[in-house]
Amino acid sequence: MTFQQTATLFALLCATLFGCLLLYPNLIYLIFALDPHPLGDFLARRAAMLFAGIAVISYFARTATPSPTRTAICLGIATAMFGLAATGLFEFLRGYVGLGIWLAILTEITFGILFLRHR
């Protein structure tokens, strides 16, 4: 997969997460088997804004040629993806979230690897 394809697919994923978390924050409870809570809604909407920004960065960086800037973007995204995968695994192992977390973990590991390949 080329960098352009990886960045475009990642931008699409982040844009989708932005829309879902902003408009339907309860989705997070359903996927991860969590009890609904107003604080979770608040945090989901805040996370939506981060996903919007990451989607924009990834989309507009998709045509970047190999450079220190592209390396920084790839390493930053890979770090975030592996960190999210690790915390998701930790929360699963301690019994805080359900099996739905594995969808996130596998997606995060996949994008982490893909972005590392393009550093």
Side-chain angles (χ1 to χ4, degrees):
M1 184 176 281
T2 66
F3 175 75
Q4 185 170 8
Q5 291 168 327
T6 299
T8 302
L9 188 59
F10 189 66
L12 180 61
L13 173 65
C14 290
T16 302
L17 288 169
F18 158 72
C20 289
L21 292 174
L22 184 67
L23 301 174
Y24 187 64
N26 287 337
L27 180 64
I28 206 86
Y29 307 123
L30 179 66
I31 293 172
F32 298 143
L34 297 169
D35 293 328
H37 192 279
L39 178 59
D41 293 353
F42 166 74
L43 292 174
R45 286 189 293 271
R46 303 253 324 147
M49 294 300 112
L50 290 173
F51 279 117
I54 295 167
V56 169
I57 290 168
S58 186
Y59 181 78
F60 285 101
R62 75 190 187 287
T63 58
T65 57
S67 67
T69 302
R70 185 170 117 172
T71 297
I73 291 167
C74 288
L75 291 176
I77 291 172
T79 300
M81 293 298 99
F82 290 132
L84 285 168
T87 57
L89 179 60
F90 173 76
E91 297 300 343
F92 177 77
L93 292 175
R94 76 179 191 113
Y96 190 73
V97 295
L99 288 173
I101 193 69
W102 284 98
L103 174 63
I105 292 170
L106 294 174
T107 302
E108 291 153 0
I109 289 171
T110 300
F111 274 108
I113 291 168
L114 287 172
F115 276 102
L116 273 184
R117 288 184 55 229
H118 299 297
R119 74 185 191 293

